[in-house]
């Protein structure tokens, strides 16, 4: 089977190298695809490199109604107010007025998603010419906002192309749900539009892919359409060939974690810090290192307030895998807060990397989240019973002392990773699915 020409419509540019989760996912998924047979329409996220695909089109003013106004507002919002010609008091007053006006505008237009209707996408002559020149066989879309849900359907219908829909989280559930005084008027209208757009892209798609079994089961019920499962993957042979790397002494128990530490995950590091303190009081020789995808300065703007945790910059993809192999215990936090239910269909993009590392894993997360459900049902990690540093310390101690249990977790992780996360199998399945749609 030859590789069809595929047009990817995704918000963030898929760069040749970056740490974005979606970038890694799509680079893996299309890893064996001929470069010239891939093109992307995107909005933002370019890091200036040559890109992973051969062809790119960035949306501009001509691809939106009132496009000049949209990009003027967007550019001005990113630029600081010039200060040179203003006195300090006048500057303060002017900034206060501008700041208040921008916050009001943001609440009314941006946070509610109203801007999607005001600056609705349109098919310009330029973008249609670019797509026709590329001559795609099929469109690949992920959604995530109204513009990038409407646009692939618009192109599909204008050019009579088949469509693949592959969301990796349940974005239609919480898109533009926010708290504010304008919600009672605007949010219900926007939410109906989100529901309608998500249903329409599912109905128009010839191939629908879910990111895991939880998503598949929910989406079949919700949309009454068939969904195929393809999860995040990596090369088993790549991990097998890597030499483990340790940033700890041979007599230290090295606990390692990585990922994007946002407002949900970051507070859980304080629990880990306290758990390590409890274990050190029991004279366990521990070292704990976090390799955050977001910058350390962003996490620790005023210095490291943790007593037992070190932070190091996240290394390259290959080096990170070697570090995970060199650890003794891997810590995979998600969340315990009220938003846990929101990610019940999501599985962490780091889970399979942890599994391939063949080290015991702790999932520290509410049982409502997809990652905790996945680990519990498949048995590839120990899952915390509740958010409590004492419980976490007890789980870590169990992994230190009970080698039989650790080997069982590793064995389950191997079985799960080979079944669901083998990249070669995922790529072959994806190609067969795409070709079957194109050939029809």
């Amino acid at each position: 089977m030859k590789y069809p020409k595929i047009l990817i419509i995704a918000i963030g540019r898929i760069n040749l190298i970056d740490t974005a989760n979606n970038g890694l996912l799509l680079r893996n998924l299309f890893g064996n695809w001929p470069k010239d047979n891939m093109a992307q329409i995107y909005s933002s996220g370019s890091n200036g490199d040559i890109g992973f695909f051969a062809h790119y089109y960035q949306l501009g003013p001509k691809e939106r109604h009132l496009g000049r106004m949209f990009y003027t507002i967007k550019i001005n919002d990113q630029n600081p107010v010039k200060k040179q010609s203003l006195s300090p008091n006048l500057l303060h007053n002017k900034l206060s007025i501008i700041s208040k006006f921008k916050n009001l505008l943001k609440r009314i237009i941006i946070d509610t998603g109203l801007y999607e209707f005001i600056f609705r996408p349109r098919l310009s002559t330029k973008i249609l010419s670019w797509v026709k020149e590329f001559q795609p066989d099929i469109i690949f879309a992920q959604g995530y906002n109204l513009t990038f849900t409407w646009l692939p359907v618009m192109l599909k219908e204008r050019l009579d192309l088949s469509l693949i829909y592959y969301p990796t989280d349940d974005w239609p559930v919480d898109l533009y749900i926010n708290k504010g005084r304008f919600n009672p008027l605007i949010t219900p209208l926007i939410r109906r539009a989100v529901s309608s757009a998500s249903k329409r892209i599912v109905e128009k798609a010839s191939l629908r892919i879910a990111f895991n079994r939880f998503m598949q089961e929910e989406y079949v019920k919700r949309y009454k359409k068939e969904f195929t499962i393809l999860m995040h993957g990596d090369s088993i042979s790549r991990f097998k060939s890597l030499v483990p790397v340790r940033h700890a002494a041979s007599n230290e128990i090295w606990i390692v974690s990585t990922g994007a530490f946002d407002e949900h995950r970051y507070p859980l590091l304080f629990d880990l810090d306290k758990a390590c303190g409890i274990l050190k009081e029991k004279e366990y020789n521990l070292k704990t290192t976090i390799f955050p995808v977001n910058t350390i300065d962003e996490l620790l703007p005023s210095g490291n307030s943790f007593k037992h945790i070190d932070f190091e910059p996240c290394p390259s993809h290959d080096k990170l895998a070697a570090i995970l192999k060199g650890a003794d215990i891997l810590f995979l936090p998600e969340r315990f807060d009220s938003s846990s239910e929101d990610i019940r269909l999501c599985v962490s993009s780091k889970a399979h990397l942890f599994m391939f590392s063949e080290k015991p894993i702790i999932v520290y997360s509410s049982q409502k989240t997809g990652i905790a459900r996945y680990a519990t049902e498949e048995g590839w990690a120990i899952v915390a019973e509740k958010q409590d540093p004492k419980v976490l310390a007890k789980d870590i101690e169990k992994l230190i002392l009970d080698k039989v249990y650790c080997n069982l977790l590793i064995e389950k992780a191997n079985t799960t990773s080979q079944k669901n996360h083998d990249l070669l199998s995922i790529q072959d399945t994806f190609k067969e699915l795409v070709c079957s749609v194109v050939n029809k």
Side-chain angles (χ1 to χ4, degrees):
M1 295 181 294
K2 74 170 189 174
Y3 288 88
K5 298 184 77 173
I6 191 161
L7 172 61
I8 295 94
I9 301 179
I11 298 173
R13 182 180 186 262
I14 307 304
N15 301 306
L16 185 63
I17 298 173
D18 62 25
T19 58
N21 286 337
N22 200 51
L24 179 59
L25 171 71
L26 295 193
R27 285 193 295 270
N28 281 342
L29 189 64
F30 292 105
N32 57 358
W33 222 269
K35 198 175 180 72
D36 281 338
N37 286 20
M38 298 181 290
Q40 185 189 2
I41 294 173
Y42 71 100
S43 175
S44 59
S46 174
N47 65 2
D49 68 23
I50 61 171
F52 184 74
F53 306 134
H55 313 279
Y56 288 93
Y57 188 98
Q58 184 174 18
L59 297 182
K62 293 184 178 180
E63 284 75 55
R64 287 188 183 274
H65 293 281
L66 302 176
R68 288 183 181 275
M69 182 187 297
F70 174 82
Y71 283 97
T72 299
I73 293 171
K74 186 175 180 181
I75 291 169
N76 287 343
D77 190 49
Q78 294 171 348
N79 291 334
V81 177
K82 293 183 179 179
K83 303 178 182 179
Q84 301 89 303
S85 59
L86 300 176
S87 67
N89 290 336
L90 187 58
L91 173 63
H92 176 74
N93 292 336
K94 186 168 183 177
L95 285 175
S96 296
I97 294 170
I98 291 172
S99 178
K100 288 178 181 178
F101 177 73
K102 282 185 176 180
N103 287 336
L104 180 66
L105 194 66
K106 183 180 180 183
R107 287 200 304 272
I108 298 174
I109 297 179
I110 299 176
D111 290 351
T112 62
L114 185 59
Y115 79 94
E116 297 256 35
F117 287 87
I118 299 172
F119 306 107
R120 197 179 178 99
R122 60 184 292 270
L123 298 179
S124 67
T125 303
K126 185 179 179 183
I127 196 171
L128 286 172
S129 175
W130 180 85
V131 173
K132 288 176 182 177
E133 184 178 353
F134 176 62
Q135 296 182 326
D137 298 302
I138 196 165
I139 295 171
F140 175 97
Q142 296 179 292
Y144 294 110
N145 67 18
L146 284 173
T147 294
F148 278 80
T149 306
W150 286 328
L151 188 59
V153 174
M154 291 162 63
L155 278 168
K156 171 204 163 37
E157 294 184 332
R158 174 67 73 88
L159 302 176
D160 192 25
L161 292 168
S162 297
L163 174 64
I164 302 167
Y165 178 51
Y166 185 18
T168 56
D169 63 43
D170 196 19
W171 63 268
V173 166
D174 57 9
L175 183 65
Y176 302 129
I177 290 181
N178 53 76
K179 297 177 181 179
R181 56 185 291 195
F182 302 100
N183 277 18
L185 294 175
I186 300 174
T187 297
L189 298 174
I190 303 297
R191 290 297 304 151
R192 280 199 288 273
V194 170
S195 178
S196 175
S198 63
K199 288 177 182 177
R200 184 170 172 77
I201 196 171
V202 169
E203 289 170 358
K204 292 294 181 180
S206 302
L207 172 61
R208 306 163 201 90
I209 304 174
F211 199 51
N212 55 65
R213 179 172 57 80
F214 308 127
M215 182 181 285
Q216 182 199 44
E217 292 172 353
E218 172 65 24
Y219 278 19
V220 168
K221 290 178 185 176
R222 186 188 302 175
Y223 299 113
K224 305 297 187 292
K225 295 288 184 180
E226 180 183 349
F227 277 79
T228 301
I229 300 173
L230 282 181
M231 299 188 75
H232 216 327
D234 210 310
S235 170
I236 297 174
S237 61
R238 181 175 83 91
F239 272 82
K240 295 290 186 185
S241 64
L242 286 172
V243 177
V245 171
R246 281 182 68 85
H247 293 188
S250 59
N251 63 338
E252 289 179 310
I253 300 160
W254 194 29
I255 302 171
V256 169
S257 187
T258 186
F261 291 90
D262 55 16
E263 70 272 19
H264 306 290
R265 293 177 183 149
Y266 182 70
L268 303 186
L269 295 181
F270 290 97
D271 292 347
L272 177 61
D273 194 53
K274 291 175 183 176
C276 290
I278 292 170
L279 291 169
K280 285 186 177 181
E281 286 181 1
K282 298 175 75 170
E283 298 187 350
Y284 286 102
N285 188 13
L286 300 178
K287 179 176 180 179
T288 302
T289 309
I290 309 298
F291 297 90
V293 172
N294 35 341
T295 64
I296 295 174
D297 289 341
E298 182 183 333
L299 285 179
L300 309 168
S302 57
N304 188 352
S305 60
F306 293 90
K307 296 179 180 178
H308 309 289
I309 294 178
D310 298 322
F311 290 82
E312 294 187 26
C314 192
S316 67
H317 192 51
D318 282 340
K319 288 181 180 178
L320 176 61
I323 286 171
L324 296 179
K325 285 188 68 173
D328 295 303
I329 295 172
L330 298 174
F331 179 66
L332 184 53
E334 192 53 80
R335 65 182 72 175
F336 283 92
D337 57 32
S338 59
S339 68
S340 297
E341 182 74 18
D342 297 343
I343 57 168
R344 62 192 177 88
L345 307 184
C346 303
V347 171
S348 169
S349 61
K350 297 292 183 290
H352 65 291
L353 300 179
F354 281 32
M355 292 182 208
F356 282 130
S357 301
E358 297 187 323
K359 294 298 165 72
I361 304 163
I362 295 178
V363 170
Y364 191 53
S365 180
S366 164
Q367 295 282 353
K368 295 178 181 178
T369 64
I371 188 66
R373 295 166 67 196
Y374 187 34
T376 300
E377 292 183 13
E378 298 287 346
W380 50 265
I382 186 170
V383 182
E385 296 175 3
K386 61 180 179 178
Q387 185 179 8
D388 186 337
K390 293 179 181 178
V391 172
L392 181 56
K394 185 179 177 182
D395 288 339
I396 294 172
E397 188 173 29
K398 181 177 178 65
L399 296 183
I400 293 171
L401 299 177
D402 194 340
K403 298 305 177 186
V404 173
Y405 179 65
C406 287
N407 289 335
L408 179 62
L409 291 180
I410 293 169
E411 182 180 332
K412 291 281 189 179
N414 282 334
T415 301
T416 303
S417 61
Q418 290 176 27
K419 178 178 66 174
N420 296 333
H421 303 285
D422 177 17
L423 184 57
L424 291 178
S425 176
I426 291 168
Q427 289 175 337
D428 289 344
T429 301
F430 180 65
K431 182 187 176 186
E432 289 174 8
L433 291 168
V434 174
C435 288
S436 68
V437 172
V438 171
N439 290 336
K440 284 181 182 180

